[in-house]
Amino acid sequence: MQEQPYVVIMAGGIGSRFWPYSRNERPKQFLDVLSTGRTLLQMTYDRFLKISTPEMFFVVTNKNYEHIVKEQLPDVPENQILTEPLRRNTATCVAYASYKIASINRNANVIVTPADHLILNEENFLDKITKAQKAAEVNNNLVTIGIKPNRPETGYGYIQYHSNEKSVAKKVKTFTEKPNAKLAKAFIESGDFVWNSGMFVWKVSSIISAFEKYMPEVAEVFEEGTQHYFSPTEGDFINRAYTLVKNISIDFGIMEKSDEVFVVLGDFGWSDLGSWMSLHELKDKDDAGNVIEANALMYDSEGCFVKAPKDKLVIVQGLKNYLINESDNVLLICELDAENKFREFVSDAKQKGDEYV
């Protein structure tokens, strides 16, 4: 029987492309974005609870969100909620969790997942995770999950693999960050590219070997923490450690450099829920393609997303593909696909006052 895996949930993001619904104080992973009665973090936890148990979960989050994680995942041991004093991207997040897990089990199998993804076919998904676990048991393989693309999406990273391989886990050739439309179309037509899901499966010893080889400065910092993990001095150690490492993703720091990376292809109804546009695609719509989560009257409008408090009457006329969202003290009206503008929106709103972000 396969050893029960540790599950590391990365839950430290700020979800700025879902502003103003997603705020600094409570980002999107802690919200019931899909109106299921469970937040995205809780849905992620529920999904992996089918193959693991609460004491095998580690949640990495910003220190400001520790109380929310405890509130939403009360069964996860408190000393396995890892709080980051600074935002240092996914390489540091993975390193912290990996070295802490290694301090109690150097032979552990580990799954790493973002907290805010949607997966519609969970049975199919868990089958792919099981296959990835088997592939990760070989040598020092680092395994990622790739999503079979159905459109030339420019908002995702892409993974190219050796398509002539018959094995379930295919050797990775290249990683590409978000491409332009022409390149994304070429990727789709080639047939040997998948979307990068940001989910990983490996032995903790394998990822630590990779840190030692490709990010030795990070390995050195977190190896020194072995005497502090699960002790009263862990917090002070982490506060120091995070000032010593760079802000870099696990993809750029390790996955793009290693020659031991494999991908398991998946097709299980996946979305990274990265923007209002991606959420609009998933929600139920009226005959004009509008998603309406408000007390609204719609006239000559199509393809819109309207979300507002039910005690407000919202009247929309003559708009096409627009977002209208009122959350707390902010009303946002913009083009639905203007996700590249959200950084600017949030930055300018902050100039008006911290209470708006």
Side-chain angles (χ1 to χ4, degrees):
M1 184 176 177
Q2 201 163 34
E3 183 184 340
Q4 198 175 62
Y6 285 89
V7 180
V8 175
I9 302 178
M10 300 182 289
I14 56 175
S16 60
R17 286 183 293 166
F18 268 107
W19 181 82
Y21 180 45
S22 174
R23 299 292 186 98
N24 282 341
E25 287 189 0
R26 189 170 289 256
K28 69 169 182 173
Q29 63 267 28
F30 305 119
L31 301 173
D32 182 9
V33 171
L34 298 168
S35 305
T36 63
R38 298 286 278 175
T39 67
L40 294 177
L41 172 64
Q42 289 171 321
M43 291 177 69
T44 301
Y45 174 75
D46 294 345
R47 186 178 304 133
F48 286 98
L49 204 54
K50 294 170 182 171
I51 60 170
S52 200
T53 50
E55 65 273 12
M56 303 296 283
F57 281 78
F58 282 72
V59 182
V60 189
T61 193
N62 186 273
K63 63 179 180 180
N64 296 327
Y65 309 140
E66 181 181 14
H67 68 287
I68 307 179
V69 175
K70 289 179 179 178
E71 166 194 312
Q72 295 193 359
L73 301 180
D75 293 336
V76 173
E78 281 193 25
N79 61 9
Q80 290 174 203
I81 299 172
L82 313 188
T83 57
E84 299 183 293
L86 303 167
R87 289 190 168 89
R88 286 290 185 264
N89 216 314
T90 54
T92 304
C93 164
V94 169
Y96 181 9
S98 299
Y99 279 89
K100 185 162 181 174
I101 291 170
S103 73
I104 53 173
N105 184 354
R106 192 81 181 189
N107 299 312
N109 296 321
V110 180
I111 298 166
V112 179
T113 179
D116 52 4
H117 289 183
L118 170 69
I119 289 166
L120 295 174
N121 188 336
E122 293 194 353
E123 185 177 347
N124 186 329
F125 167 71
L126 294 175
D127 176 65
K128 300 301 183 185
I129 288 290
T130 299
K131 289 180 167 62
Q133 284 181 265
K134 290 178 181 175
E137 291 174 356
V138 179
N139 301 322
N140 283 326
N141 289 356
L142 306 176
V143 184
T144 186
I145 306 294
I147 310 299
K148 294 179 181 177
N150 54 23
R151 63 184 184 279
E153 173 63 56
T154 58
Y156 298 151
Y158 284 74
I159 299 170
Q160 184 183 26
Y161 60 91
H162 289 275
S163 56
N164 58 344
E165 292 186 8
K166 302 299 181 184
S167 57
V168 173
K170 302 181 186 304
K171 190 77 179 286
V172 168
K173 291 170 71 174
T174 62
F175 282 82
T176 304
E177 289 300 307
K178 299 172 183 177
N180 59 37
K182 183 177 179 181
L183 195 55
K185 187 171 184 292
F187 287 170
I188 298 297
E189 291 172 350
S190 75
D192 59 353
F193 282 82
V194 287
W195 291 332
N196 184 354
S197 73
M199 289 182 277
F200 309 101
V201 182
W202 43 51
K203 294 177 298 192
V204 74
S205 57
S206 300
I207 191 62
I208 284 177
S209 293
F211 272 111
E212 290 170 348
K213 184 173 182 179
Y214 302 108
M215 301 185 73
E217 69 288 352
V218 172
E220 184 177 351
V221 168
F222 285 97
E223 184 67 47
E224 288 178 4
T226 301
Q227 60 185 312
H228 299 287
Y229 300 132
F230 296 101
S231 82
T233 60
E234 181 175 343
D236 289 340
F237 165 74
I238 289 299
N239 287 340
R240 291 195 307 275
Y242 268 65
T243 66
L244 301 174
V245 292
K246 295 184 294 186
N247 186 329
I248 187 171
S249 72
I250 192 72
D251 286 329
F252 187 74
I254 289 179
M255 304 300 279
E256 293 181 16
K257 298 173 181 175
S258 173
D259 59 0
E260 297 175 297
V261 178
F262 291 78
V263 61
V264 171
L265 312 187
D267 186 9
F268 35 71
W270 172 89
S271 171
D272 77 339
L273 294 176
S275 66
W276 286 103
M277 186 76 173
S278 62
L279 187 58
H280 179 273
E281 292 173 0
L282 294 164
K283 292 273 190 176
D284 292 335
K285 304 171 186 64
D286 66 12
D287 293 341
N290 299 305
V291 173
I292 303 172
E293 296 183 350
N295 181 15
L297 296 173
M298 307 294 292
Y299 301 91
D300 310 315
S301 298
E302 58 183 87
C304 293
F305 196 141
V306 184
K307 184 177 180 64
K310 291 293 198 284
D311 61 350
K312 295 283 182 69
L313 176 62
V314 182
I315 301 172
V316 181
Q317 190 274 326
L319 292 184
K320 182 177 181 180
N321 301 329
Y322 260 73
L323 167 67
I324 301 99
N325 175 231
E326 181 178 348
S327 295
D328 297 324
N329 56 355
V330 175
L331 171 64
L332 172 66
I333 304 169
C334 69
E335 293 174 316
L336 185 57
D337 62 355
E339 59 186 78
N340 61 330
K341 298 286 289 183
F342 272 69
R343 194 178 296 275
E344 182 181 348
F345 293 163
V346 173
S347 176
D348 291 346
K350 188 174 176 63
Q351 299 300 314
K352 294 284 188 181
D354 288 344
E355 69 270 23
Y356 298 117
V357 297

